[in-house]
Amino acid sequence: MQFLLAFLVAAPLLGAVAALLPAPPGLKGRSPEQAVLRHGVTVTGVILAAAIALALGFDHDAPARFQATTDISWIPALDVRIHLGVDGISLPLLLMTALLFFLCALYSYFKLPAGPSPKAFVALLLVLESGTLATFAVLDLLLFFLAFEMVLIPMYFLIARWGGAQRQAAAWKFILYTLLGSVVMLLGILLIGVTADTFDMVALASDNGRELSRTTQLLAVLAIGLGLAVKTPMWPLHTWLPDAHTAAPTVGSVLLAGVLLKMGTYGFVRILLPVTPEGMAAFAPYLGAFAVVGIVYGSLACLALARKGNKGDLKRLIAYSSVGHMGFVLLGIASMSPTGVNGALFANIAHGLITGLLFFLVGALKDRYGTADLDTLAGATGAALYGRAPRFGALLAFAAVASLGLPGLAGFWGEMLALFGAFDPAEGLPRPAFLTYTAVGAFGTLLTAAYLLVVVRRVCMGDPKTGPELTVADVQHYEFAAWTPLVALTVLAGLWPALLLGLTDPAVQQLLAGGNS
């Protein structure tokens, strides 16, 4: 177990180095490009297998306890340690991360985005995977910051070199926003570490903020929370997200929505809730307010983009939907209640599965029609996916109804539990304010259903015989392989939520009561 977790973090880096080397004789296949893409599928597949083995070996009777731990001194002068561990909060995120990277590598093997060398693409993908897995596995604040920052450069190049129109501007906006937020976050991390005389996240969580004064906690929450809010992203710090998603290649959008956004909300749960509880309680009402504004704002922006004549880009619309969905995650965290935090963690996983599937579908739709412009797709000829490509249309409709929170699918439980948590927040929080947030959030679910049903009606419905003849390929074999796991897990999590909540709830209960120890 100890080896498996260390392997998960280190293997992608070794795979990235190997991707840049010449392929050994006999493994080149039909071309060097094919060999390096096969290498990417193999490495991410091995990492996924290791993550599944880690989950199978995990003691499910003790999900609140850190398991598979490694604790080695790295920088003695600063008491920085290579401290790794996994519990019921981080295990689902590790599994989802490994799965999404494997599916993206598999999809890219058959549909590589236009750009420079495939070697660089695969190497960047693997460096990105190492950084995201490390973020969910490390238990030292400085290591968390390093892993948190490690993902910026590969994602910048994936957008800037393999993206579409306006990719340079979108990539610069992405990295400038996140770097500025990270500078402030580093100050907060240093403040906690110097004041408490340790950067160990387990020790800090177990102490539950008793070594930190109220002023220190307030400053730490403000600084670290700002950096995490940019990555989440929270309204009004979200403006980099629609541009980045619109310009990014398909797999870049899948990973950005499915994995990178989760790093911000994970930081709120893993660091701020247990380490600075007094500071979080002071800022929780404001965090809840920003969360519900983001829910309504994201939905209204999507409705505007979906309206006929507005030339709305479908990728941009899905990006704005992420602002709304992550608002529910932040609302659950702001409630500081076990129900709300469990809902936030569930919504994190549901959003990664469903929005990852949506970006796969929209990317494939753009490849088929040459555009993601909603007015063009619903114009005189119409995409009419139910008639032209029925399996593709059914998948898009499934992803849409899952995203709007249909009962029986994964999206329902996270949003419902987040609203329940806001309805009955932690003791000491202003209940009238959170009741208002609950009502506004519930209204946001109606707006979400409205814009997603408009998208399904405009893209999937229509007469395929109208206008000139247009042949559209239905779901291809490689697309079926990449998308089916996301569909299956969305249904499984929706029908059997205890599978995930059984992992997160004991860990959340202990975290809120005084940290994991």
Side-chain angles (χ1 to χ4, degrees), residues 41-59:
V41 175
T42 303
V43 173
T44 54
V46 169
I47 293 165
L48 175 60
I52 293 172
L54 182 70
L56 293 174
F58 186 81
D59 183 0

Side-chain angles (χ1 to χ4, degrees), residues 103-178:
L103 297 180
C104 285
L106 181 64
Y107 187 84
S108 299
Y109 180 81
F110 295 96
K111 195 71 179 179
L112 182 69
S117 163
K119 282 191 172 187
F121 178 83
V122 171
L124 289 169
L125 203 66
L126 293 173
V127 172
L128 185 65
E129 181 173 24
S130 179
T132 51
L133 289 170
T135 301
F136 301 132
V138 298
L139 297 173
D140 183 278
L141 279 178
L142 285 181
L143 278 184
F144 176 86
F145 177 78
L146 292 176
F148 197 83
E149 296 305 289
M150 183 177 169
V151 304
L152 299 185
I153 299 304
M155 182 53 74
Y156 166 81
F157 280 110
L158 285 174
I159 296 172
R161 303 303 298 274
W162 284 271
Q166 306 297 318
R167 59 182 183 269
Q168 291 288 348
W172 274 111
K173 196 171 184 179
F174 160 75
I175 201 165
L176 287 176
Y177 264 73
T178 48

Side-chain angles (χ1 to χ4, degrees), residues 289-440:
F290 283 120
V292 294
V293 170
I295 291 170
V296 175
Y297 170 83
S299 299
L300 291 176
C302 290
L303 274 172
L305 289 169
R307 189 180 302 166
K308 185 176 181 180
N310 281 4
K311 292 288 182 182
D313 186 282
L314 202 47
K315 286 189 74 176
R316 195 173 190 86
L317 185 147
I318 303 302
Y320 272 110
S321 78
S322 291
V323 176
H325 288 303
M326 298 312 289
F328 283 102
V329 177
L330 290 173
L331 179 61
I333 293 170
S335 75
M336 296 184 68
S337 67
T339 302
V341 176
N342 274 302
L345 294 171
F346 201 106
N348 254 348
I349 300 298
H351 178 265
L353 298 173
I354 297 167
T355 307
L357 177 61
L358 277 170
F359 274 116
F360 267 135
L361 291 165
V362 172
L365 191 65
K366 187 174 182 179
D367 290 336
R368 284 161 168 77
Y369 284 88
T371 181
D373 180 80
L374 197 51
D375 284 343
T376 303
L377 292 172
T381 59
L385 287 180
Y386 287 156
R388 298 184 193 277
R391 288 189 291 275
F392 196 107
L395 277 172
L396 183 60
F398 170 85
V401 296
S403 186
L404 64 82
L406 184 74
L409 299 176
F412 170 75
W413 295 107
E415 293 182 3
M416 185 193 71
L417 290 172
L419 291 174
F420 279 178
F423 183 79
D424 187 19
E427 186 178 350
L429 297 183
R431 190 153 190 257
F434 276 87
L435 287 176
T436 304
Y437 302 156
T438 304
V440 176

